[in-house]
mmCIF file of all heavy atoms in Angstrom:
data_model
loop_
_atom_site.group_PDB
_atom_site.id
_atom_site.type_symbol
_atom_site.label_atom_id
_atom_site.label_comp_id
_atom_site.label_asym_id
_atom_site.label_seq_id
_atom_site.Cartn_x
_atom_site.Cartn_y
_atom_site.Cartn_z
ATOM 1 N N GLY N 1 115.848 99.862 117.603
ATOM 2 C CA GLY N 1 114.705 100.744 117.608
ATOM 3 C C GLY N 1 114.660 101.550 116.351
ATOM 4 O O GLY N 1 113.499 101.847 115.824
ATOM 5 N N ILE N 2 115.820 101.974 115.760
ATOM 6 C CA ILE N 2 115.737 102.829 114.518
ATOM 7 C C ILE N 2 115.310 102.062 113.441
ATOM 8 O O ILE N 2 114.539 102.378 112.542
ATOM 9 C CB ILE N 2 117.041 103.478 114.315
ATOM 10 C CG1 ILE N 2 117.499 104.421 115.409
ATOM 11 C CG2 ILE N 2 117.074 104.112 112.913
ATOM 12 C CD1 ILE N 2 118.818 105.020 115.319
ATOM 13 N N ALA N 3 115.798 100.775 113.326
ATOM 14 C CA ALA N 3 115.375 99.824 112.125
ATOM 15 C C ALA N 3 113.975 99.630 112.110
ATOM 16 O O ALA N 3 113.299 99.440 111.023
ATOM 17 C CB ALA N 3 116.248 98.585 112.331
ATOM 18 N N VAL N 4 113.271 99.580 113.317
ATOM 19 C CA VAL N 4 111.841 99.224 113.398
ATOM 20 C C VAL N 4 111.102 100.443 112.878
ATOM 21 O O VAL N 4 109.900 100.327 112.411
ATOM 22 C CB VAL N 4 111.398 99.083 114.886
ATOM 23 C CG1 VAL N 4 109.907 98.947 114.991
ATOM 24 C CG2 VAL N 4 112.042 97.781 115.291
ATOM 25 N N ASP N 5 111.591 101.694 112.816
ATOM 26 C CA ASP N 5 110.948 102.889 112.240
ATOM 27 C C ASP N 5 110.411 102.662 110.779
ATOM 28 O O ASP N 5 109.219 102.772 110.552
ATOM 29 C CB ASP N 5 111.863 104.094 112.310
ATOM 30 C CG ASP N 5 112.215 104.529 113.683
ATOM 31 O OD1 ASP N 5 111.794 103.944 114.580
ATOM 32 O OD2 ASP N 5 112.994 105.615 113.779
ATOM 33 N N ASP N 6 111.336 102.239 109.974
ATOM 34 C CA ASP N 6 110.983 102.044 108.577
ATOM 35 C C ASP N 6 109.991 100.894 108.463
ATOM 36 O O ASP N 6 108.997 100.976 107.599
ATOM 37 C CB ASP N 6 112.138 101.884 107.637
ATOM 38 C CG ASP N 6 112.843 103.120 107.381
ATOM 39 O OD1 ASP N 6 112.340 104.256 107.614
ATOM 40 O OD2 ASP N 6 114.157 103.128 107.017
ATOM 41 N N THR N 7 110.221 99.794 109.248
ATOM 42 C CA THR N 7 109.361 98.624 109.213
ATOM 43 C C THR N 7 107.804 99.115 109.647
ATOM 44 O O THR N 7 106.869 98.713 108.990
ATOM 45 C CB THR N 7 109.877 97.606 110.124
ATOM 46 O OG1 THR N 7 111.200 97.273 109.813
ATOM 47 C CG2 THR N 7 108.923 96.366 110.188
ATOM 48 N N LEU N 8 107.748 99.946 110.553
ATOM 49 C CA LEU N 8 106.293 100.500 110.934
ATOM 50 C C LEU N 8 105.766 101.166 109.848
ATOM 51 O O LEU N 8 104.495 100.958 109.651
ATOM 52 C CB LEU N 8 106.537 101.442 112.193
ATOM 53 C CG LEU N 8 106.704 100.682 113.491
ATOM 54 C CD1 LEU N 8 107.221 101.625 114.634
ATOM 55 C CD2 LEU N 8 105.396 100.052 113.962
ATOM 56 N N HIS N 9 106.377 102.142 109.204
ATOM 57 C CA HIS N 9 105.720 102.794 108.091
ATOM 58 C C HIS N 9 105.338 101.869 106.977
ATOM 59 O O HIS N 9 104.248 101.989 106.418
ATOM 60 C CB HIS N 9 106.724 103.858 107.489
ATOM 61 C CG HIS N 9 106.908 105.032 108.485
ATOM 62 N ND1 HIS N 9 106.010 106.135 108.485
ATOM 63 C CD2 HIS N 9 107.945 105.345 109.289
ATOM 64 C CE1 HIS N 9 106.451 106.919 109.438
ATOM 65 N NE2 HIS N 9 107.579 106.562 109.863
ATOM 66 N N PHE N 10 106.185 100.862 106.670
ATOM 67 C CA PHE N 10 105.929 99.885 105.637
ATOM 68 C C PHE N 10 104.714 99.004 106.061
ATOM 69 O O PHE N 10 103.870 98.832 105.258
ATOM 70 C CB PHE N 10 107.145 98.965 105.400
ATOM 71 C CG PHE N 10 107.182 98.229 104.111
ATOM 72 C CD1 PHE N 10 107.725 98.646 102.904
ATOM 73 C CD2 PHE N 10 106.395 96.996 104.032
ATOM 74 C CE1 PHE N 10 107.679 97.915 101.767
ATOM 75 C CE2 PHE N 10 106.372 96.261 102.837
ATOM 76 C CZ PHE N 10 107.075 96.744 101.704
ATOM 77 N N ILE N 11 104.657 98.502 107.174
ATOM 78 C CA ILE N 11 103.645 97.661 107.741
ATOM 79 C C ILE N 11 102.342 98.432 107.738
ATOM 80 O O ILE N 11 101.220 97.746 107.421
ATOM 81 C CB ILE N 11 104.055 97.060 109.121
ATOM 82 C CG1 ILE N 11 105.171 95.903 108.964
ATOM 83 C CG2 ILE N 11 102.803 96.260 109.708
ATOM 84 C CD1 ILE N 11 104.890 94.872 107.926
ATOM 85 N N CYS N 12 102.297 99.601 108.307
ATOM 86 C CA CYS N 12 101.077 100.386 108.404
ATOM 87 C C CYS N 12 100.505 100.558 106.957
ATOM 88 O O CYS N 12 99.261 100.386 106.782
ATOM 89 C CB CYS N 12 101.321 101.716 109.168
ATOM 90 S SG CYS N 12 101.619 101.627 110.981
ATOM 91 N N TRP N 13 101.414 100.948 106.022
ATOM 92 C CA TRP N 13 100.759 101.104 104.643
ATOM 93 C C TRP N 13 100.311 99.821 104.093
ATOM 94 O O TRP N 13 99.285 99.747 103.362
ATOM 95 C CB TRP N 13 101.914 101.811 103.832
ATOM 96 C CG TRP N 13 101.316 102.453 102.535
ATOM 97 C CD1 TRP N 13 100.968 101.846 101.490
ATOM 98 C CD2 TRP N 13 101.272 103.762 102.393
ATOM 99 N NE1 TRP N 13 100.394 102.775 100.541
ATOM 100 C CE2 TRP N 13 100.642 104.046 101.136
ATOM 101 C CE3 TRP N 13 101.594 104.947 103.035
ATOM 102 C CZ2 TRP N 13 100.438 105.263 100.488
ATOM 103 C CZ3 TRP N 13 101.389 106.295 102.531
ATOM 104 C CH2 TRP N 13 100.776 106.387 101.224
ATOM 105 N N TYR N 14 101.146 98.750 104.403
ATOM 106 C CA TYR N 14 100.749 97.398 103.809
ATOM 107 C C TYR N 14 99.395 96.958 104.295
ATOM 108 O O TYR N 14 98.534 96.478 103.509
ATOM 109 C CB TYR N 14 101.881 96.406 104.246
ATOM 110 C CG TYR N 14 101.505 94.946 103.789
ATOM 111 C CD1 TYR N 14 101.637 94.579 102.567
ATOM 112 C CD2 TYR N 14 101.152 94.112 104.781
ATOM 113 C CE1 TYR N 14 101.328 93.210 102.165
ATOM 114 C CE2 TYR N 14 100.723 92.827 104.520
ATOM 115 C CZ TYR N 14 100.954 92.329 103.205
ATOM 116 O OH TYR N 14 100.613 90.966 102.858
ATOM 117 N N ARG N 15 99.188 97.175 105.575
ATOM 118 C CA ARG N 15 97.906 96.794 106.116
ATOM 119 C C ARG N 15 96.722 97.578 105.620
ATOM 120 O O ARG N 15 95.586 96.990 105.352
ATOM 121 C CB ARG N 15 97.955 96.826 107.640
ATOM 122 C CG ARG N 15 98.699 95.762 108.385
ATOM 123 C CD ARG N 15 98.785 95.929 109.855
ATOM 124 N NE ARG N 15 97.408 95.950 110.445
ATOM 125 C CZ ARG N 15 96.724 94.859 110.781
ATOM 126 N NH1 ARG N 15 97.235 93.719 110.627
ATOM 127 N NH2 ARG N 15 95.550 95.053 111.335
ATOM 128 N N LYS N 16 96.971 98.731 105.376
ATOM 129 C CA LYS N 16 96.075 99.595 104.758
ATOM 130 C C LYS N 16 95.620 99.130 103.288
ATOM 131 O O LYS N 16 94.479 99.183 102.957
ATOM 132 C CB LYS N 16 96.484 101.084 104.710
ATOM 133 C CG LYS N 16 95.404 102.123 104.119
ATOM 134 C CD LYS N 16 95.896 103.514 104.027
ATOM 135 C CE LYS N 16 97.049 103.663 103.047
ATOM 136 N NZ LYS N 16 97.406 105.213 102.902
ATOM 137 N N GLU N 17 96.641 98.732 102.583
ATOM 138 C CA GLU N 17 96.401 98.265 101.310
ATOM 139 C C GLU N 17 95.669 96.838 101.282
ATOM 140 O O GLU N 17 94.689 96.651 100.453
ATOM 141 C CB GLU N 17 97.693 98.071 100.487
ATOM 142 C CG GLU N 17 98.490 99.320 100.196
ATOM 143 C CD GLU N 17 97.708 100.289 99.348
ATOM 144 O OE1 GLU N 17 96.779 99.973 98.649
ATOM 145 O OE2 GLU N 17 98.069 101.485 99.184
ATOM 146 N N LYS N 18 95.960 96.117 102.240
ATOM 147 C CA LYS N 18 95.340 94.852 102.302
ATOM 148 C C LYS N 18 93.815 94.914 102.729
ATOM 149 O O LYS N 18 92.908 94.250 102.299
ATOM 150 C CB LYS N 18 96.016 93.872 103.421
ATOM 151 C CG LYS N 18 97.284 93.307 103.024
ATOM 152 C CD LYS N 18 97.151 92.358 101.808
ATOM 153 C CE LYS N 18 96.380 91.146 102.189
ATOM 154 N NZ LYS N 18 97.099 90.096 103.085
ATOM 155 N N GLU N 19 93.627 96.008 103.697
ATOM 156 C CA GLU N 19 92.192 96.314 103.946
ATOM 157 C C GLU N 19 91.436 96.859 102.770
ATOM 158 O O GLU N 19 90.199 96.757 102.766
ATOM 159 C CB GLU N 19 92.242 97.217 105.140
ATOM 160 C CG GLU N 19 92.661 96.665 106.467
ATOM 161 C CD GLU N 19 92.833 97.688 107.539
ATOM 162 O OE1 GLU N 19 92.612 98.961 107.281
ATOM 163 O OE2 GLU N 19 93.361 97.318 108.687
ATOM 164 N N ALA N 20 91.989 97.420 101.921
ATOM 165 C CA ALA N 20 91.451 97.923 100.788
ATOM 166 C C ALA N 20 91.097 96.871 99.698
ATOM 167 O O ALA N 20 90.395 97.048 98.794
ATOM 168 C CB ALA N 20 92.344 98.953 99.905
ATOM 169 N N GLY N 21 91.612 95.551 99.987
ATOM 170 C CA GLY N 21 91.228 94.423 99.213
ATOM 171 C C GLY N 21 92.254 93.910 98.267
ATOM 172 O O GLY N 21 91.970 93.002 97.529
ATOM 173 N N TYR N 22 93.513 94.378 98.379
ATOM 174 C CA TYR N 22 94.551 93.962 97.567
ATOM 175 C C TYR N 22 95.237 92.708 97.934
ATOM 176 O O TYR N 22 95.220 92.387 99.243
ATOM 177 C CB TYR N 22 95.636 95.091 97.344
ATOM 178 C CG TYR N 22 95.085 96.204 96.551
ATOM 179 C CD1 TYR N 22 94.593 97.352 97.169
ATOM 180 C CD2 TYR N 22 95.287 96.227 95.127
ATOM 181 C CE1 TYR N 22 94.244 98.415 96.392
ATOM 182 C CE2 TYR N 22 94.812 97.284 94.404
ATOM 183 C CZ TYR N 22 94.276 98.412 95.023
ATOM 184 O OH TYR N 22 93.828 99.470 94.342
ATOM 185 N N SER N 23 95.644 91.875 97.043
ATOM 186 C CA SER N 23 96.366 90.627 97.387
ATOM 187 C C SER N 23 97.663 90.986 98.082
ATOM 188 O O SER N 23 98.103 92.165 98.022
ATOM 189 C CB SER N 23 96.502 89.832 96.221
ATOM 190 O OG SER N 23 97.494 90.391 95.377
ATOM 191 N N ALA N 24 98.368 90.062 98.691
ATOM 192 C CA ALA N 24 99.584 90.251 99.354
ATOM 193 C C ALA N 24 100.680 90.751 98.360
ATOM 194 O O ALA N 24 101.303 91.835 98.634
ATOM 195 C CB ALA N 24 100.216 88.865 100.030
ATOM 196 N N ALA N 25 100.767 90.284 97.205
ATOM 197 C CA ALA N 25 101.671 90.673 96.138
ATOM 198 C C ALA N 25 101.451 92.113 95.717
ATOM 199 O O ALA N 25 102.294 93.004 95.603
ATOM 200 C CB ALA N 25 101.799 89.679 95.000
ATOM 201 N N ASP N 26 100.122 92.368 95.415
ATOM 202 C CA ASP N 26 99.745 93.646 94.962
ATOM 203 C C ASP N 26 99.993 94.763 96.152
ATOM 204 O O ASP N 26 100.331 95.819 95.913
ATOM 205 C CB ASP N 26 98.379 93.761 94.579
ATOM 206 C CG ASP N 26 98.078 92.843 93.335
ATOM 207 O OD1 ASP N 26 99.113 92.462 92.719
ATOM 208 O OD2 ASP N 26 96.947 92.559 93.011
ATOM 209 N N ALA N 27 99.570 94.319 97.381
ATOM 210 C CA ALA N 27 99.757 95.315 98.557
ATOM 211 C C ALA N 27 101.247 95.539 98.597
ATOM 212 O O ALA N 27 101.565 96.706 98.999
ATOM 213 C CB ALA N 27 99.158 94.733 99.658
ATOM 214 N N VAL N 28 102.067 94.646 98.585
ATOM 215 C CA VAL N 28 103.540 94.865 98.785
ATOM 216 C C VAL N 28 104.069 95.814 97.610
ATOM 217 O O VAL N 28 104.722 96.680 97.917
ATOM 218 C CB VAL N 28 104.296 93.520 98.658
ATOM 219 C CG1 VAL N 28 105.768 93.747 98.371
ATOM 220 C CG2 VAL N 28 104.071 92.698 99.906
ATOM 221 N N GLN N 29 103.580 95.650 96.409
ATOM 222 C CA GLN N 29 104.005 96.462 95.297
ATOM 223 C C GLN N 29 103.568 97.903 95.629
ATOM 224 O O GLN N 29 104.277 98.912 95.425
ATOM 225 C CB GLN N 29 103.454 95.986 94.011
ATOM 226 C CG GLN N 29 104.207 94.607 93.588
ATOM 227 C CD GLN N 29 103.780 94.196 92.148
ATOM 228 O OE1 GLN N 29 103.937 95.001 91.283
ATOM 229 N NE2 GLN N 29 103.516 93.006 92.083
ATOM 230 N N ARG N 30 102.373 98.139 95.921
ATOM 231 C CA ARG N 30 101.783 99.517 96.197
ATOM 232 C C ARG N 30 102.435 100.138 97.409
ATOM 233 O O ARG N 30 102.821 101.301 97.384
ATOM 234 C CB ARG N 30 100.192 99.395 96.448
ATOM 235 C CG ARG N 30 99.514 99.027 95.165
ATOM 236 C CD ARG N 30 98.017 98.887 95.521
ATOM 237 N NE ARG N 30 97.467 100.151 95.848
ATOM 238 C CZ ARG N 30 96.971 101.097 94.895
ATOM 239 N NH1 ARG N 30 97.090 100.828 93.671
ATOM 240 N NH2 ARG N 30 96.441 102.351 95.408
ATOM 241 N N THR N 31 102.635 99.350 98.500
ATOM 242 C CA THR N 31 103.279 99.860 99.683
ATOM 243 C C THR N 31 104.818 100.207 99.263
ATOM 244 O O THR N 31 105.373 101.231 99.753
ATOM 245 C CB THR N 31 103.387 98.765 100.784
ATOM 246 O OG1 THR N 31 102.071 98.445 100.997
ATOM 247 C CG2 THR N 31 104.061 99.293 101.972
ATOM 248 N N PHE N 32 105.475 99.408 98.544
ATOM 249 C CA PHE N 32 106.943 99.720 98.111
ATOM 250 C C PHE N 32 106.926 100.950 97.376
ATOM 251 O O PHE N 32 107.821 101.807 97.647
ATOM 252 C CB PHE N 32 107.331 98.554 97.290
ATOM 253 C CG PHE N 32 108.839 98.481 97.024
ATOM 254 C CD1 PHE N 32 109.753 97.787 97.700
ATOM 255 C CD2 PHE N 32 109.384 99.318 95.981
ATOM 256 C CE1 PHE N 32 111.098 97.863 97.478
ATOM 257 C CE2 PHE N 32 110.782 99.335 95.733
ATOM 258 C CZ PHE N 32 111.574 98.633 96.498
ATOM 259 N N VAL N 33 106.024 101.119 96.471
ATOM 260 C CA VAL N 33 106.085 102.329 95.564
ATOM 261 C C VAL N 33 105.819 103.572 96.380
ATOM 262 O O VAL N 33 106.418 104.647 96.251
ATOM 263 C CB VAL N 33 104.989 102.258 94.478
ATOM 264 C CG1 VAL N 33 104.932 103.596 93.796
ATOM 265 C CG2 VAL N 33 105.443 101.156 93.463
ATOM 266 N N ALA N 34 104.895 103.403 97.437
ATOM 267 C CA ALA N 34 104.542 104.571 98.376
ATOM 268 C C ALA N 34 105.541 104.860 99.328
ATOM 269 O O ALA N 34 105.726 106.076 99.714
ATOM 270 C CB ALA N 34 103.244 104.262 99.011
ATOM 271 N N CYS N 35 106.303 103.874 99.839
ATOM 272 C CA CYS N 35 107.124 104.042 101.042
ATOM 273 C C CYS N 35 108.686 103.918 100.803
ATOM 274 O O CYS N 35 109.485 104.457 101.553
ATOM 275 C CB CYS N 35 106.882 102.997 102.138
ATOM 276 S SG CYS N 35 105.142 103.177 102.773
ATOM 277 N N ALA N 36 109.069 103.233 99.723
ATOM 278 C CA ALA N 36 110.411 103.002 99.416
ATOM 279 C C ALA N 36 111.307 104.201 99.404
ATOM 280 O O ALA N 36 112.478 104.271 100.006
ATOM 281 C CB ALA N 36 110.526 102.081 98.292
ATOM 282 N N GLN N 37 110.826 105.198 98.672
ATOM 283 C CA GLN N 37 111.656 106.449 98.507
ATOM 284 C C GLN N 37 111.959 107.112 99.824
ATOM 285 O O GLN N 37 113.106 107.406 100.102
ATOM 286 C CB GLN N 37 110.968 107.330 97.499
ATOM 287 C CG GLN N 37 111.423 107.137 96.068
ATOM 288 C CD GLN N 37 111.016 108.396 95.224
ATOM 289 O OE1 GLN N 37 109.885 108.698 95.204
ATOM 290 N NE2 GLN N 37 112.026 108.906 94.683
ATOM 291 N N ALA N 38 110.932 107.218 100.718
ATOM 292 C CA ALA N 38 111.139 107.862 101.996
ATOM 293 C C ALA N 38 112.120 107.025 102.886
ATOM 294 O O ALA N 38 112.933 107.584 103.607
ATOM 295 C CB ALA N 38 109.785 107.968 102.713
ATOM 296 N N MET N 39 111.949 105.691 102.775
ATOM 297 C CA MET N 39 112.829 104.773 103.639
ATOM 298 C C MET N 39 114.306 105.000 103.077
ATOM 299 O O MET N 39 115.274 104.950 103.828
ATOM 300 C CB MET N 39 112.404 103.314 103.479
ATOM 301 C CG MET N 39 111.044 103.136 104.010
ATOM 302 S SD MET N 39 110.195 101.562 103.616
ATOM 303 C CE MET N 39 111.418 100.406 104.387
ATOM 304 N N ILE N 40 114.551 105.024 101.678
ATOM 305 C CA ILE N 40 115.847 105.109 101.165
ATOM 306 C C ILE N 40 116.409 106.624 101.624
ATOM 307 O O ILE N 40 117.443 106.711 101.988
ATOM 308 C CB ILE N 40 115.833 105.012 99.645
ATOM 309 C CG1 ILE N 40 115.555 103.537 99.306
ATOM 310 C CG2 ILE N 40 117.195 105.390 99.056
ATOM 311 C CD1 ILE N 40 115.168 103.380 97.851
ATOM 312 N N GLN N 41 115.613 107.558 101.450
ATOM 313 C CA GLN N 41 115.987 108.828 101.747
ATOM 314 C C GLN N 41 116.434 108.987 103.293
ATOM 315 O O GLN N 41 117.463 109.605 103.590
ATOM 316 C CB GLN N 41 114.958 109.892 101.505
ATOM 317 C CG GLN N 41 114.526 110.138 100.085
ATOM 318 C CD GLN N 41 113.251 110.924 99.768
ATOM 319 O OE1 GLN N 41 112.600 111.048 100.636
ATOM 320 N NE2 GLN N 41 113.022 111.204 98.533
ATOM 321 N N THR N 42 115.648 108.526 104.154
ATOM 322 C CA THR N 42 115.930 108.663 105.642
ATOM 323 C C THR N 42 117.289 107.871 105.933
ATOM 324 O O THR N 42 118.048 108.302 106.709
ATOM 325 C CB THR N 42 114.872 108.089 106.407
ATOM 326 O OG1 THR N 42 114.507 106.733 106.039
ATOM 327 C CG2 THR N 42 113.520 108.988 106.345
ATOM 328 N N THR N 43 117.392 106.693 105.263
ATOM 329 C CA THR N 43 118.602 105.898 105.519
ATOM 330 C C THR N 43 119.849 106.584 104.993
ATOM 331 O O THR N 43 120.887 106.663 105.684
ATOM 332 C CB THR N 43 118.386 104.536 104.966
ATOM 333 O OG1 THR N 43 117.382 103.817 105.527
ATOM 334 C CG2 THR N 43 119.692 103.700 105.194
ATOM 335 N N VAL N 44 119.751 107.068 103.814
ATOM 336 C CA VAL N 44 120.928 107.754 103.279
ATOM 337 C C VAL N 44 121.376 109.020 103.998
ATOM 338 O O VAL N 44 122.404 109.218 104.294
ATOM 339 C CB VAL N 44 120.611 108.089 101.786
ATOM 340 C CG1 VAL N 44 121.760 108.989 101.140
ATOM 341 C CG2 VAL N 44 120.528 106.804 100.951
ATOM 342 N N ILE N 45 120.246 109.764 104.429
ATOM 343 C CA ILE N 45 120.489 110.960 105.133
ATOM 344 C C ILE N 45 121.136 110.666 106.531
ATOM 345 O O ILE N 45 122.030 111.334 107.059
ATOM 346 C CB ILE N 45 119.266 111.817 105.240
ATOM 347 C CG1 ILE N 45 118.890 112.432 103.871
ATOM 348 C CG2 ILE N 45 119.393 112.969 106.173
ATOM 349 C CD1 ILE N 45 117.505 112.952 103.842
ATOM 350 N N ALA N 46 120.561 109.666 107.157
ATOM 351 C CA ALA N 46 121.059 109.275 108.530
ATOM 352 C C ALA N 46 122.499 108.736 108.363
ATOM 353 O O ALA N 46 123.444 109.198 109.181
ATOM 354 C CB ALA N 46 120.216 108.166 109.100
ATOM 355 N N CYS N 47 122.827 108.024 107.306
ATOM 356 C CA CYS N 47 124.264 107.563 107.083
ATOM 357 C C CYS N 47 125.115 108.771 106.806
ATOM 358 O O CYS N 47 126.223 108.794 107.348
ATOM 359 C CB CYS N 47 124.304 106.520 106.030
ATOM 360 S SG CYS N 47 123.477 104.947 106.385
#
């Protein structure tokens, strides 16, 4: 259940980028830049 948390944030942002017209590779990059730091922060703090 916890692992799905970050996946949800990533997928929600990714779908928003795809709806904006970006390709899969571009949407992944924009999503990664937007979400990766928060995902790393939450994981490190949880650990």
Side-chain angles (χ1 to χ4, degrees):
I2 295 174
V4 171
D5 291 359
D6 286 339
T7 303
L8 279 165
H9 288 281
F10 195 97
I11 290 298
C12 289
W13 199 288
Y14 172 78
R15 284 178 58 84
K16 183 179 71 172
E17 298 292 350
K18 286 297 294 289
E19 290 172 359
Y22 289 94
S23 66
D26 293 348
V28 164
Q29 293 188 46
R30 292 177 65 85
T31 302
F32 190 97
V33 171
C35 298
Q37 270 196 301
M39 294 164 68
I40 293 171
Q41 289 168 355
T42 55
T43 301
V44 172
I45 292 170
C47 291

